[in-house]
Every structure is written in C-alpha cells, then in structure tokens.
Amino acid sequence: MGIVKGLRVLAVDDEPLQLDELAYLLRGDQGVAEVVTAGDTTEALRHLRDRGVDVVFLDIRMPGLDGMELARLLGRFASPPAVVFVTAHDDRAVDAFDLGAADYLLKPVRADRLAEAIRRAARARVASAGQQPQPEPVADDVIPVELAGTTRMLPRSSVRWVEAHGDYARLHTSDGNHLVRVPLSLLAERWADAGFVRIHRSYLVALRVIAELRLGSSGYVVVVDGRELPVSRRHTRELKDRLVRAAKTGWR
C-alpha cells in the first residue's frame, strides 16, 4: 500500500500568529486533507479524544504540559499519530528523535521544508499501521547534528565511520566530523542492516569504505580514508564474514 494521502493534521502552538501561519501553510499542501488547531496541550488532548488525526505538528515550549511531554503521551496511544516538532529552539532535536519524531522543524518554517516534513510524517504513519510504504528513489536515514548553532540533518550515507566518546559518538564524514549524543551501541544496532559493522568497542565502520583489512604488529586493522582503525579480536571473525558476504551480494 502506498503512502497515505489526505492527512488529518492537528497543529499545536501557544502563539496565535505562529499557529495561524503554520495552519495556512499546512492547508496549502496537497498531502493534507484537514487541519485543526489547538493553542495548548489541553485543547490538543480534547481534539485527540474527540477525533482521530494522522499527524500532530507540535511546538515544544508551551505553558503547562510541554510538547515533549505530550509526545510521550501520544506514544502510548493504541494507534499513535506521527509527530513533527515545530520550534524556535534547536537544542532539543536529539530528544525529539529519541521519542520517534518524524521530523524537527525550526521556525520560521519554510514551505519546502514543511512539505518534506509532511512526506516523512505520512511514511511514519503508514509504518506505524503495519503497512509498507512505497520505496523512494533514495532511502537514507538521517541524524540531527549541531553545526555552528544550527541543527543539520546529516544523511547516514555520508558517514564513513563512527568513534565512541562515552555516551556520545563522533560521526566522521568525508568533510569533517560531528559529535552527537547517541551511544555507539545504539547506532551499531540501528545501522547494522545499512552496512555498518562494529570492529571494536570504540569503532563502527561502513563496510563500503573499508579499503583494506590487514594484520599489524598489534592485531588486525582496517584502512579507511588512509587511516588505520583497530579491529578487536572478538570482532575479527564477524568482520571477515561480513566482508566476504558484502563482496558477493553488494555492500550492504
């Protein structure tokens, strides 16, 4: 079944002018069939009780129950709506995605970015119903990173290798690196099916970028972008197996 069309949307914001602007933009998108609004989370809960919605566009900082707390409540629904956070603050992106948010928009909202968020929310809604969305021409996970005070959505495909830093992880790309508040173990689990392999307690590497696996004086190492990364003994056999399978079936 394809992506649901004609979404029923609830927009929640305690600032009337911004709520009106968001509702106006939502109604102008062809993927949206209906838009209802709420000025606080209490009113939002009344709407959710009285009528079903597919997506909630939700401000974070509001009096009383804030957007994060409402999103946690929505996650307990039997059929939870997708959530898109819309906020002027860029410091809660990681928390938002930890809650399973479909997207995270910064105010002022651009029409093209809103259209992208609507598409993501539609796919999330289909997936939550146990249906399979139509494949997109380019399927790629994203992870929010902070860059000069701006939250940027970094494609997983741009990540070459990942290094553990306690409860954080440093994502290395071809043009730099980004520190994110995500444990390496969680990324290893989430990205295993995308061709990433754990080579050491401190390193996760995309199979496709491994140029060489060789035995050095202190054990095995892999060469990635001219840099040697250690391979622990416990991960050596799995890495060799993955490399062989990847060579036969493609780098996934």
Side-chain angles (χ1 to χ4, degrees):
M1 181 174 178
I3 291 176
V4 173
K5 295 185 181 296
L7 295 171
R8 297 164 298 172
V9 175
L10 170 62
V12 188
D13 197 317
D14 65 317
E15 299 184 25
L17 291 178
Q18 297 201 27
L19 181 59
D20 289 346
E21 175 66 14
L22 177 59
Y24 172 79
L25 292 173
L26 286 167
R27 292 186 178 109
D29 191 284
Q30 294 183 348
V32 175
E34 179 185 5
V35 179
V36 293
T37 62
D40 55 42
T41 50
T42 300
E43 184 181 0
L45 287 169
R46 284 199 298 267
H47 281 301
L48 291 164
R49 180 194 62 199
D50 297 338
R51 62 202 304 166
V53 299
D54 299 305
V55 187
V56 178
F57 281 76
L58 183 59
D59 190 19
I60 292 180
R61 297 187 181 178
M62 293 183 288
L65 195 70
D66 70 15
M68 288 289 178
E69 292 168 325
L70 178 58
R72 291 188 183 94
L73 287 178
L74 297 180
R76 301 173 188 169
F77 283 24
S79 180
V83 173
V84 175
F85 286 104
V86 186
T87 177
H89 307 280
D90 62 5
D91 59 347
R92 304 297 300 277
V94 172
D95 294 335
F97 284 97
D98 282 346
L99 287 174
D103 210 340
Y104 189 93
L105 301 180
L106 290 177
K107 299 175 181 178
V109 178
R110 303 193 318 267
D112 59 334
R113 229 359 228 108
L114 181 66
E116 180 183 352
I118 291 169
R119 290 193 296 270
R120 290 182 178 178
R123 293 195 296 271
R125 182 61 174 162
V126 170
S128 71
Q131 303 162 341
Q132 293 299 319
Q134 292 178 338
E136 294 189 317
V138 178
D140 199 359
D141 194 11
V142 294
I143 187 166
V145 300
E146 300 298 320
L147 185 64
T150 300
T151 299
R152 171 188 171 195
M153 307 310 296
L154 184 73
R156 179 186 57 207
S157 59
S158 68
V159 178
R160 315 281 286 177
W161 53 284
V162 186
E163 182 180 5
H165 280 265
D167 291 333
Y168 290 71
R170 188 172 296 279
L171 311 179
H172 292 265
T173 67
S174 59
D175 58 359
N177 61 81
H178 307 274
L179 190 65
V180 296
R181 196 179 65 187
V182 179
L184 185 71
S185 58
L186 181 58
L187 288 179
E189 179 182 348
R190 288 183 177 178
W191 291 3
D193 292 339
F196 282 78
V197 61
R198 190 78 171 263
I199 64 168
H200 188 276
R201 66 181 181 182
S202 298
Y203 295 99
L204 178 69
V205 179
L207 282 171
R208 60 184 171 78
V209 304
I210 295 177
E212 188 178 348
L213 170 66
R214 66 167 176 251
L215 183 61
S217 59
S218 300
Y220 278 98
V221 297
V222 295
V223 179
V224 177
D225 298 333
R227 175 166 178 169
E228 293 186 354
L229 303 177
V231 180
S232 65
R233 182 176 301 176
R234 62 173 295 200
H235 290 103
T236 300
R237 179 177 295 276
E238 179 189 359
L239 174 60
K240 289 180 177 179
D241 290 344
R242 291 287 298 274
L243 286 170
V244 170
R245 291 201 306 269
K248 292 179 179 178
T249 62
W251 294 95
R252 282 292 299 272

